[in-house]
Amino acid sequence: MKKTFVLLATTMISLGLYAQSNVPIIGADLIVHHAKITTQTAAQPVASAIAVKGGRIYAVGNDAEILALKDVHTKIIDADGKRLIPGLEDAHIHPLNERNFNYKVRWDGVPTLKRALEMLTEQAKRTPEGQWVKVTGGWSPYQFAENRQPTIDELNKAVSDRPLYIQYAYNRGYLNKLAMKVLGVGTSKFPDLPETELEKDKKGNYTGVITGYTFTFLTLDAMLPMPTPEEEVSSLVHVIHDLNRFGLTSVLDATSIIGYPEGHKPLQTLVRENRLNIRFPFVDLGWDQSSNEPFVETLLKRITKLAPVSPGQNLHPTMEHGYEYEGMGEALRAEIHDHENFDKPTYIIPKDRMMEYAEKDVRKLIEKRIPFRMHVTYNENLNPFLDAFERVVRTTPLDGMRWSVEHAETITPENIERVKKLGGGIALDNKMALHGDAFVKTHGIEKALYTPRLRDLVNSGIPLSLTTDAFRVSPANPWLAISWAVTGKSVSGATVLAKDNRLTRYEALKLYTTGAAWFENEEHEKGRIAPGNLADFVLLSKDYFTVSDDEIKSISSVLTVVNGKVVFGLDQYSNLAPKLPEPIPSWSPIKYFGGYHWDK
């Protein structure tokens, strides 16, 4: 009997093995091998190859075991020994505000003021009558070798026969003589903008230099020629191409001035045509320029009546988390928006005003289960906001609902703990990388060295991301932020972070991966090279973990993959990426200068 059982068992095993050997392997859609992979998983911190199926990573390991998962349909990419990291996510950025991106000369990354001025002159010759030459933010005077802003005389000399508008962050604007005439500066035609100063010379004539705050410059930009719908779509395509080149695979749009749904038309076109090459979660301000209602009220009308959508709902039909509504932000009301301008003293909101509005708005958002993000730059304004918040949750519990503080440059250790206790996160931007030199002049080097408190924030364990807040106050380049966090240096090369207030390279990278993913409740699906995670990853032009400190800021992607598909390729990978169409209009500065200056 025993002999019969053994014979039967042997026969069954043999038949099973024979059957398995004849079952074809269903291979990976994509395999990348011969890489130095930083997985950001504790159990398997390094690897050399990954396999992708259906938009997700399903195997990670060495070359031999992963290449064994291929079939005749598998696309195989040799990483040529380059560093591979999880796709980067910017958790606070404004790409939808760049609907006129193709109209702009971008000074982002340009190394000298001399070259920046030359670009204006060159573009003026191409710009048709009726259009403007303009630069709307994304640069810092401290990036230039000259270490200064342009003078109005230099700008008038650079461009005399076309209207010219230059915006520096949300701090200062410049209009050449023709631009002042077109806008009617000094006449009733030009709007009376609150908290705005129009500079005059000794004779009482307007110079064209304008100082103010956020709403000043948003109004000025809105007064200039607007793009056609076709140009808006083209602009967004070129914005996303730049983001992919930086290694960004997700961006959380932190409010567009023209809100949801009407301001999302260019994005919706790309979704409809299956041309969206980046994951695009968003929050919405609810701002209705024709209404004096509080933002929370106009937001509720938009998401319940005008274009119904629920927090966490994905509006992309084929890409997981492709176009997802994440709640309200980045501000709750204009009256409690503290403007960040490091050329000026701290902008302090009256305590009673902050307490009154914050309590009303936060309570209503929690009741409606709408996650929110609150712009607070200065700790002096964060104190009364948190006082109001703590009062609200005594009777209206959050019950796990996520929220965050945006920016929080001067937050104290005490308020870090208060935010953490309230279940919030902090989306910390890189303004000190771009404008830290100005902060030093205004507030002193001692305060600057601990602005923000990077080490305290990371050590606290609070949900934390590093962001750019592009495209007005900063370029969209995340490597500038990472470089500053690691080296402590601003774009001028000046030290603006104390040595004991800096991060390791691994810590800084996490703020752009798993840290950023927390803000859309996806930290278990994004930010790691691990089975089950979304197939978003990047091959770097330089090895982030071995290059010198000075080289970090010049890193870019040579291969960017989103949802398992190549969306950007450079050099030997250029033929794998979709072809980038020419920008519209034909005279677009982006056609000649690109969106970011890269050394040849």
Side-chain angles (χ1 to χ4, degrees), residues 344-357:
K344 293 185 176 183
T346 301
Y347 188 98
I348 299 179
I349 297 164
K351 179 179 178 180
D352 290 345
R353 184 201 303 172
M354 174 65 87
M355 293 279 292
E356 177 189 356
Y357 289 140

Side-chain angles (χ1 to χ4, degrees), residues 150-165:
T151 67
I152 194 64
D153 289 339
E154 288 173 324
L155 295 174
N156 276 305
K157 183 179 179 181
V159 180
S160 59
D161 60 349
R162 291 289 183 271
L164 171 70
Y165 173 56

Side-chain angles (χ1 to χ4, degrees), residues 368-405:
K368 300 294 184 181
R369 299 297 297 170
I370 299 174
F372 65 91
R373 309 172 66 138
M374 177 61 182
H375 173 121
V376 188
T377 294
Y378 299 108
N379 195 69
E380 290 86 345
N381 299 318
L382 185 57
N383 274 324
F385 175 77
L386 293 177
D387 289 344
F389 201 150
E390 288 166 345
R391 183 185 298 174
V392 169
V393 298
R394 290 188 196 113
T395 56
T396 314
L398 280 161
D399 195 23
M401 193 184 87
R402 294 190 177 186
W403 69 280
S404 64
V405 177

Side-chain angles (χ1 to χ4, degrees), residues 451-513:
T451 299
R453 293 183 173 273
L454 269 179
R455 176 47 55 199
D456 288 342
L457 284 160
V458 169
N459 288 352
S460 74
I462 196 170
L464 181 68
S465 70
L466 196 53
T467 78
T468 61
D469 196 15
F471 289 74
R472 307 299 172 90
V473 298
S474 167
N477 186 352
W479 298 101
L480 295 178
I482 291 170
S483 173
W484 157 73
V486 170
T487 69
K489 293 181 179 180
S490 72
V491 292
S492 73
T495 297
V496 293
L497 273 182
K499 192 171 183 179
D500 63 355
N501 194 29
R502 301 173 198 168
L503 305 183
T504 67
R505 297 191 189 199
Y506 190 79
E507 288 172 328
L509 182 63
K510 285 187 71 175
L511 299 188
Y512 263 106
T513 52

Side-chain angles (χ1 to χ4, degrees), residues 379 410-419 453 456-457 460:
N379 195 69
T410 63
I411 189 171
T412 60
E414 293 77 17
N415 277 342
I416 293 171
E417 288 305 313
R418 292 175 76 189
V419 172
R453 293 183 173 273
D456 288 342
L457 284 160
S460 74

Side-chain angles (χ1 to χ4, degrees), residues 120-180:
L120 300 181
T121 302
E122 292 170 18
Q123 183 56 36
K125 295 174 183 177
R126 292 187 284 262
T127 301
E129 193 169 342
Q131 290 288 350
W132 287 54
V133 178
K134 63 178 184 176
V135 180
T136 50
W139 60 280
S140 164
Y142 307 106
Q143 79 192 40
F144 297 138
E146 296 89 341
N147 201 36
R148 65 175 177 87
Q149 297 188 37
T151 67
I152 194 64
D153 289 339
E154 288 173 324
L155 295 174
N156 276 305
K157 183 179 179 181
V159 180
S160 59
D161 60 349
R162 291 289 183 271
L164 171 70
Y165 173 56
I166 307 291
Q167 179 182 326
Y168 164 49
Y170 287 113
N171 300 16
R172 178 176 290 202
Y174 300 87
L175 299 168
N176 70 353
K177 292 178 181 178
L178 184 54
M180 285 198 290

Side-chain angles (χ1 to χ4, degrees), residues 32 34-50 59-63 65-66 82-86 506 528-531 543 545:
V32 180
H34 189 199
K36 297 175 184 174
I37 301 178
T38 300
T39 68
Q40 296 199 149
T41 62
Q44 189 183 23
V46 296
S48 64
I50 60 173
V60 180
N62 61 44
D63 286 3
E65 59 189 350
I66 299 304
K82 291 182 171 59
R83 178 68 60 181
L84 187 150
I85 63 171
Y506 190 79
R528 294 181 177 87
I529 305 297
D543 189 337
F545 289 101

Side-chain angles (χ1 to χ4, degrees), residues 516-538:
W518 181 91
F519 290 80
E520 46 180 313
N521 205 12
E522 291 167 16
E523 64 271 28
H524 301 299
E525 295 184 85
K526 284 183 176 179
R528 294 181 177 87
I529 305 297
N533 267 38
L534 298 169
D536 300 349
F537 53 87
V538 183

